[in-house]
Amino acid sequence: MKELTVECNNSCGGPQLTPEDERVLIRDIAITSENNSKEGDSFYLITQRWWQHWIDYVNQEQTNVTNDGSSMLENCDAVSSSRRPASIDNSDLIHDANSEESNVGFEIHDTLLEGRDYILLPQEVWNQLYSWYGGGPALARKVISSGLSQTEYAVEVYPLRLRLFVMPKGDQSTIRISKKETIGELHKRACELFDLNLEQVCIWDYYGQRKHALMNDMDRTLDDANLQMDQDILVEVHNNANGTALSRFISSAQGNGSTVKEASSFLLEPSKSSLSIAGGLSASKGASRGGSTELSQSLNLTSQGRELDNTYGISTVTTRGSSGGLIGLQNLGNTCFMNSAIQCLVHTSEFAKYFREDYHQEINWQNPLGMVGELALAFGELLRRLWAPGRTAIAPRQFKMKLARFAPQFSGYNQHDSQELLAFLLDGLHEDLNRVKHKPYKKSKDADGRPDEEVADEYWANHIARNDSIIVDVCQGQYKSTLVCPECHKISVTFDPFMYLSLPLQSTTIRSMTVTIFTCDGSALPFSCTVTVPKQGRCRDLINALSCACSLKNNEDLKLAEVRNHLFQRFLEDPLISLSMIKDDDHLVAYKIPKSLKKTLLIRLIHRRQEQETGATQAAQHWKPFGTPLVSLISRDEVITRGDIQTVVNTMLSSLLRSESLRQADTSEPCLSLAASEKCCDSSSGEACSNPMSDSVNKDGNAVTLFKLPLQLVEESNACVDLSVGEDKAIKLSSTSTSILVYVDWSQELLEKYDTHYLENLPEVFKYGPVNKKARTEPLSLYTCLEAFLREEPLVPEDMWYCPKCKERRQASKKLDLWRLPEVLVIHLKRFSYSRSMKHKLETFVNFPIHDFDLTKYIANKNNTQRQLYELYALTNHYGGMGSGHYTAHIKLLDESRWYNFDDTHISPINEEDVKSAAAYVLFYRRVKTSDAISNGGKSGSGHNNGSFQK
């Protein structure tokens, strides 16, 4: 991100303090402020980038006395970072640094994270830093009480953003307001904004552009009313007659036993928001929402008995439906991810039956891998309440607190991934309900040529001996995993259990990758090259594709490297590296270098230029890396002199010389004589490195006059050697040296002689652009996704396989085959992809079957000759972008043929054709019980009466 600075404003007027004085003063102020923090105090956001610069500045004395042998570049960077920071610049935290909307103030980005993007400072600390440095803008946030007991404090980094719609005028506006403000304050703000009288106005919860609840309890906080980020609010303007009618409506509602006050209490979340909500609350001192806090809240609630269940657990909002299973779940604050997953599990018939009967005898109270039965009890109680008669929505606070106790990653009120919750919940329930009280040690034998059926049964029997629960009965299957060593081609076969299948959404098996090509001899300008390679290929596939695309000669090689922050991150020299380890936002460079049988040394050339911060003195200028680093080779058969390095670097940069610079070369000084027979161009060896100047300047191959460059050689001791003097002096090299690091320091005068823009703006491997409508709606078959999942692919380096024949860890290729299918097949569509600095969501429309999902041909078990049919009965949906949006569930009730949409507390019937959408995320399939569909084989493999898993 481009760094923006504003004019420094040292308003204190006194002498500038030393870095150590600043550090001590800020430390003392911070300690005092934090010890006295209370509700209503102000904290200020400050960009992490500026804060880190200040931290480095005030700690520079400690940095300067240590010498850890780091590289010269790191030392140079340390010197630069120890400079006094410029004025505070928070522009990278806000959407538009030049404007401030009157209703919402400066809008910060929706995806900011504390510690990564910003730091929260007490007001006193901010005031002091601002008096020294000036800048801004100031981004103040209030401390509010939080938690069920309201005794914890948190900084409300993201106050509620509400969309107000005025009817019948048709006006609309967006406001920011604290969730601790009252409904009365919301009325007041709305009237001020639209120039209305309080007597004329009533405000409605306007979820889904429909009236749901009248908000007229003026003393109730917006937090208690369960309003959410980007909530729609209807501001209805009435005349006197309508006001009378409104009074009659309220009286009627109260007479029917459903008070408007209570009706306004349910939580709503936008159904298809594309905005990211980074938690809403950012913890500061005393604001932790860790497992211990959740536990204490849980104990406080439990100790007060079941009467508290009605107080905290049940809202008076009703949901539609006339039969059991149509009870909604209140949103407790970004808990739609949990609500959608719970509804799908609750409406799984096997679980509904199991948890409504007496399951307590199967609870494993001693399992160290479980939650001493507490998770199973909490889920079972919640399931019973959801299947109880009535239509009253439930607030799953008790369950959430249990969940947060055993899985702190789900504590607080941030948005989470419903699939990750499902994975934890299924595994946790299994361990709580594991019928095996003492797990025996079981070691599966190597196949050694035995039939797959025999080996699979053995693996499954060993698994059941340690894992036997209702979850295993219903949800666990088995697949065959085949590993092949890339060196000795040894084949290893195992049979592993699975709880769900995570299917990729890529419709093709290929991938486009963009790499920038450089030549070491300066014979051509750098250019970007986009090639197509196997998605699960290896580096050798990329090298081969690039070699063809750039017309690589027989006497040339390509050296592939990843560049980050203008430095070499790594050289990709192993041809077996999986391309999956190269992210889309990486920057790759390939260098054409000559093939050589001689002993050579690699020259790594780093470009630097001077940078000066606003208000800094000339003496404070420093060198910082820029552009793309280059490489070349030089022979080690003879002594290498400083002039030799100058010759090679001149050759590397010769293609960037401007034409007018070439014409002035004869009169320029200092200068260097470069002959066509220098070390970098040994034509007798058949190398592909030629003197670029012999063609562009001197066709006869005579000596050419070039510029003497300001080069710095970094010795092994980290000392810098000036290569612009003493051409004939030999450089010091150890016998084990394989490369040297050289800096070229680009002065303004030198930048005018070379066209260095070719070194900048290195493209990403793959640039994500806006997804067009066609790309979003083009269907992808679920069968295609399954085939991509089962296809052979190389293991990632973290999962390297130990080959018993090679006796080394290898990056083997792995192929999967389905072997044993469960009663309920859970399929996770991998919509979210992660790169180093970005997250992406795939909006691909997956055409999944609702009926007759046929997996017969994907079963590797040859003894299975019957059709394997499944029918969809539930799924979760995700609307919106990464880290935000909204989860819902589509569910087909057990005793009905009708589908329903479960959107937190809102439940409504939908048509079957509306079940499919590009938002589908986790699919739940049930095995079809037909006369021609049998279990997988016929012989029991589990040993227990349920018989859900058979072979």
Side-chain angles (χ1 to χ4, degrees):
M1 180 179 293
K2 186 176 180 181
E3 189 172 310
L4 301 175
T5 58
V6 291
E7 193 67 30
C8 183
N9 175 26
N10 189 347
S11 59
C12 60
Q16 182 172 301
L17 299 179
T18 66
E20 176 64 15
D21 290 340
E22 286 192 18
R23 185 185 67 83
V24 172
L25 183 56
I26 291 297
R27 182 199 62 190
D28 294 343
I29 294 175
I31 293 174
T32 302
S33 300
E34 293 183 357
N35 287 337
N36 298 320
S37 62
K38 61 185 181 301
E39 186 175 6
D41 286 351
S42 292
F43 275 67
Y44 285 76
L45 279 73
I46 191 168
T47 175
Q48 167 69 24
R49 176 175 49 80
W50 190 93
W51 176 255
Q52 187 58 52
H53 191 167
W54 183 81
I55 290 294
D56 294 338
Y57 167 66
V58 298
N59 287 291
Q60 61 179 300
E61 293 184 3
Q62 297 176 346
T63 304
N64 290 339
V65 298
T66 61
N67 184 7
D68 58 357
S70 57
S71 70
M72 191 64 192
L73 180 61
E74 292 172 341
N75 291 339
C76 293
D77 286 344
V79 172
S80 68
S81 64
S82 65
R83 287 195 30 74
R84 179 178 173 84
S87 52
I88 298 169
D89 181 11
N90 281 335
S91 59
D92 57 345
L93 300 181
I94 60 180
H95 281 296
D96 187 352
N98 299 318
S99 65
E100 180 178 2
E101 299 180 39
S102 59
N103 299 330
V104 295
F106 285 111
E107 275 288 89
I108 65 175
H109 293 292
D110 295 299
T111 56
L112 301 180
L113 291 178
E114 184 181 6
R116 185 195 72 181
D117 303 306
Y118 67 87
I119 297 296
L120 286 169
L121 302 179
Q123 181 173 0
E124 295 79 5
V125 174
W126 164 266
N127 290 342
Q128 186 61 65
L129 288 173
Y130 184 80
S131 70
W132 291 335
Y133 294 94
L139 303 172
R141 295 295 187 267
K142 293 292 186 181
V143 174
I144 62 173
S145 59
S146 63
L148 291 177
S149 61
Q150 299 294 299
T151 57
E152 302 173 10
Y153 295 130
V155 178
E156 191 178 25
V157 176
Y158 290 95
L160 287 176
R161 180 169 48 209
L162 303 179
R163 293 190 289 259
L164 306 185
F165 297 86
V166 180
M167 293 297 176
K169 294 174 60 178
D171 296 342
Q172 60 181 3
S173 185
T174 300
I175 65 169
R176 284 279 192 182
I177 185 170
S178 171
K179 62 175 63 180
K180 291 303 178 181
E181 292 289 0
T182 63
I183 292 176
E185 179 63 24
L186 178 59
H187 275 71
K188 180 181 177 182
R189 290 276 300 274
C191 291
E192 291 175 351
L193 181 61
F194 297 111
D195 194 20
L196 301 171
N197 296 322
L198 283 172
E199 296 77 13
Q200 293 179 282
V201 170
C202 64
I203 290 183
W204 293 82
D205 164 16
Y206 201 43
Y207 175 80
Q209 303 286 299
R210 292 184 300 146
K211 292 182 181 179
H212 286 282
L214 181 65
M215 302 171 63
N216 71 332
D217 184 351
M218 299 302 176
D219 296 327
R220 193 182 188 90
T221 67
L222 303 183
D223 192 21
D224 291 337
N226 288 324
L227 292 189
Q228 282 291 283
M229 188 69 72
D230 295 312
Q231 177 82 44
D232 289 345
I233 301 295
L234 176 63
V235 180
E236 195 168 39
V237 182
H238 293 272
N239 55 29
N240 291 335
N242 287 338
T244 304
L246 176 62
S247 299
R248 288 198 300 269
F249 167 80
I250 297 174
S251 300
S252 174
Q254 292 173 339
N256 290 331
S258 177
T259 67
V260 177
K261 175 179 177 179
E262 291 297 326
S264 65
S265 68
F266 65 95
L267 182 89
L268 296 172
E269 189 169 337
S271 60
K272 295 187 180 180
S273 170
S274 61
L275 296 171
S276 175
I277 304 170
L281 296 177
S282 181
S284 61
K285 180 181 180 296
S288 172
R289 295 182 180 272
S292 60
T293 304
E294 299 280 355
L295 174 59
S296 64
Q297 294 171 353
S298 174
L299 293 175
N300 289 337
L301 289 179
T302 305
S303 64
Q304 298 177 36
R306 288 189 58 86
E307 293 77 16
L308 210 54
D309 235 20
N310 293 329
T311 305
Y312 287 92
I314 298 179
S315 157
T316 60
V317 178
T318 60
T319 55
R320 297 180 182 179
S322 57
S323 61
L326 286 176
I327 297 178
L329 288 169
Q330 285 190 20
N331 193 313
L332 306 178
N334 284 324
T335 56
C336 56
F337 76 96
M338 181 181 75
N339 293 349
S340 61
I342 288 175
Q343 292 287 13
C344 289
L345 292 180
V346 163
H347 288 86
T348 298
S349 59
E350 293 84 353
F351 296 154
K353 179 181 179 181
Y354 179 86
F355 284 99
R356 283 190 286 176
E357 296 176 350
D358 185 11
Y359 63 92
H360 294 76
Q361 60 184 353
E362 292 202 334
I363 292 179
N364 192 329
W365 306 101
Q366 290 82 33
N367 188 355
L369 300 178
M371 291 78 175
V372 291
E374 291 192 36
L375 185 64
L377 289 170
F379 179 79
E381 178 62 23
L382 181 59
L383 181 145
R384 292 185 180 204
R385 293 171 63 192
L386 287 172
W387 277 103
R391 308 176 187 178
T392 303
I394 296 171
R397 286 191 174 92
Q398 295 282 352
F399 177 80
K400 184 182 184 301
M401 286 187 291
K402 293 291 184 183
L403 182 68
R405 174 185 176 185
F406 296 108
Q409 66 268 30
F410 298 117
S411 62
Y413 300 96
N414 290 339
Q415 183 67 276
H416 294 283
D417 190 325
S418 67
Q419 186 272 334
E420 293 178 0
L421 172 69
L422 273 169
F424 169 80
L425 191 51
L426 288 172
D427 187 65
L429 290 174
H430 159 66
E431 295 296 350
D432 265 4
L433 299 170
N434 197 346
R435 304 178 183 109
V436 179
K437 300 303 187 279
H438 303 284
K439 295 186 177 184
Y441 174 74
K442 293 287 184 178
K443 183 177 181 180
S444 297
K445 303 176 184 177
D446 193 74
D448 287 332
R450 291 183 293 161
D452 282 349
E453 290 76 13
E454 178 183 339
V455 179
D457 282 347
E458 179 181 288
Y459 270 87
W460 187 252
N462 290 346
H463 175 66
I464 291 299
R466 295 173 54 84
N467 303 278
D468 183 9
S469 70
I470 181 64
I471 306 299
V472 175
D473 296 343
V474 175
C475 293
Q476 284 198 359
Q478 186 183 33
Y479 57 71
K480 175 184 176 182
S481 176
T482 305
L483 291 171
V484 181
C485 177
E487 298 294 330
C488 69
H489 304 292
K490 176 179 173 57
I491 298 176
S492 174
V493 176
T494 58
F495 292 84
D496 304 310
F498 68 85
M499 191 89 75
Y500 53 86
L501 302 179
S502 288
L503 305 188
L505 296 192
Q506 290 80 10
S507 58
T508 66
T509 60
I510 59 175
R511 175 187 184 187
S512 292
M513 302 184 73
T514 298
V515 181
T516 304
I517 309 293
F518 286 83
T519 59
C520 75
D521 59 4
S523 59
L525 289 169
F527 62 95
S528 295
C529 184
T530 300
V531 295
T532 300
V533 294
K535 189 179 293 290
Q536 301 299 334
R538 300 178 186 268
C539 266
R540 62 189 176 198
D541 299 312
L542 178 58
I543 293 291
N544 291 338
L546 291 172
S547 300
C548 295
C550 71
S551 302
L552 194 71
K553 299 176 183 177
N554 292 332
N555 56 1
E556 291 178 319
D557 275 331
L558 279 181
K559 192 173 188 66
L560 194 63
E562 179 189 345
V563 173
R564 193 183 304 171
N565 297 326
H566 314 294
L567 303 173
F568 289 111
Q569 177 67 19
R570 57 173 174 165
F571 287 98
L572 303 170
E573 297 179 309
D574 184 355
L576 297 180
I577 293 177
S578 172
L579 293 182
S580 62
M581 302 306 299
I582 300 175
K583 307 303 181 185
D584 286 334
D585 58 348
D586 286 343
H587 300 270
L588 293 188
V589 180
Y591 303 94
K592 286 186 177 183
I593 59 175
K595 286 182 179 178
S596 177
L597 299 177
K598 300 185 302 181
K599 192 174 183 181
T600 58
L601 190 72
L602 182 70
I603 298 178
R604 294 176 290 136
L605 183 68
I606 305 296
H607 309 279
R608 299 191 303 185
R609 63 185 173 193
Q610 282 187 319
E611 289 190 5
Q612 179 178 353
E613 297 183 12
T614 304
T617 62
Q618 180 68 25
Q621 289 183 335
H622 57 277
W623 295 98
K624 291 205 68 175
F626 83 101
T628 305
L630 303 176
V631 300
S632 188
L633 296 178
I634 188 170
S635 173
R636 291 197 61 173
D637 288 346
E638 301 176 11
V639 174
I640 301 176
T641 66
R642 298 180 183 181
D644 294 334
I645 303 298
Q646 282 277 352
T647 300
V648 175
V649 174
N650 265 283
T651 303
M652 295 164 67
L653 300 176
S654 59
S655 65
L656 304 180
L657 269 173
R658 302 181 190 272
S659 56
E660 57 270 21
S661 300
L662 293 173
R663 289 192 295 269
Q664 299 170 3
D666 290 336
T667 59
S668 299
E669 55 178 340
C671 62
L672 174 72
S673 177
L674 174 63
S677 58
E678 291 288 357
K679 288 188 178 185
C680 65
C681 304
D682 188 354
S683 59
S684 62
S685 67
E687 297 181 16
C689 185
S690 61
N691 181 0
M693 304 310 299
S694 63
D695 293 328
S696 59
V697 178
N698 194 323
K699 302 279 185 186
D700 298 328
N702 297 327
V704 179
T705 302
L706 293 180
F707 304 106
K708 183 173 292 186
L709 299 170
L711 303 181
Q712 299 282 333
L713 170 68
V714 181
E715 294 186 324
E716 293 181 356
S717 63
N718 280 340
C720 275
V721 177
D722 187 356
L723 300 182
S724 62
V725 295
E727 289 183 28
D728 297 330
K729 287 188 177 181
I731 65 172
K732 298 178 182 179
L733 291 173
S734 68
S735 59
T736 59
S737 297
T738 59
S739 68
I740 58 174
L741 177 62
V742 176
Y743 297 138
V744 54
D745 293 335
W746 292 86
S747 64
Q748 188 59 41
E749 180 182 1
L750 195 61
L751 287 170
E752 294 174 357
K753 299 180 185 297
Y754 288 84
D755 191 354
T756 58
H757 88 272
Y758 291 104
L759 300 174
E760 303 188 69
N761 302 319
L762 200 62
E764 296 178 350
V765 169
F766 182 80
K767 183 68 174 177
Y768 278 86
V771 182
N772 57 42
K773 184 176 181 181
K774 180 179 179 182
R776 285 197 302 266
T777 58
E778 185 176 349
L780 176 63
S781 168
L782 184 60
Y783 291 105
T784 303
C785 299
L786 178 61
E787 290 163 3
F789 170 75
L790 298 175
R791 187 180 297 115
E792 181 177 351
E793 62 180 33
L795 295 173
V796 296
E798 291 81 0
D799 296 331
M800 296 266 282
W801 170 66
Y802 179 80
C803 176
K805 186 175 180 180
C806 297
K807 299 189 182 304
E808 289 186 17
R809 297 181 67 82
R810 301 291 189 190
Q811 192 176 12
S813 59
K814 181 178 182 179
K815 186 181 185 305
L816 300 178
D817 292 287
L818 298 179
W819 187 268
R820 185 187 309 268
L821 293 179
E823 292 299 309
V824 169
L825 179 62
V826 181
I827 295 179
H828 164 224
L829 303 178
K830 296 175 70 174
R831 293 200 174 277
F832 301 123
S833 61
Y834 302 83
S835 57
R836 182 168 289 105
S837 61
M838 297 181 67
K839 301 176 181 179
H840 312 284
K841 182 188 175 186
L842 301 174
E843 299 286 354
T844 309
F845 178 81
V846 179
N847 187 11
F848 51 89
I850 296 178
H851 307 284
D852 296 333
F853 181 33
D854 193 349
L855 298 177
T856 307
K857 73 174 185 178
Y858 301 103
I859 303 299
N861 185 356
K862 301 305 180 183
N863 287 347
N864 175 53
T865 59
Q866 301 300 321
R867 297 180 68 192
Q868 301 295 307
L869 298 178
Y870 283 80
E871 180 168 328
L872 186 75
Y873 71 92
L875 69 153
T876 65
N877 304 291
H878 181 269
Y879 302 95
M882 288 291 300
S884 67
H886 183 61
Y887 286 95
T888 67
H890 293 337
I891 295 172
K892 186 177 182 180
L893 289 197
L894 305 179
D895 55 349
E896 296 186 30
S897 59
R898 195 170 194 178
W899 283 86
Y900 288 87
N901 176 50
F902 285 72
D903 188 353
D904 292 334
T905 58
H906 305 280
I907 301 174
S908 57
I910 58 173
N911 297 322
E912 186 172 284
E913 54 266 26
D914 296 328
V915 170
K916 295 184 182 182
S917 75
Y921 187 40
V922 181
L923 310 175
F924 290 75
Y925 281 94
R926 179 182 292 111
R927 186 197 296 276
V928 177
K929 307 294 185 182
T930 62
S931 58
D932 63 341
I934 63 170
S935 298
N936 294 334
K939 184 177 179 180
S940 174
S942 63
H944 50 76
N945 294 331
N946 184 282
S948 296
F949 285 100
Q950 296 177 341
K951 172 141 173 47

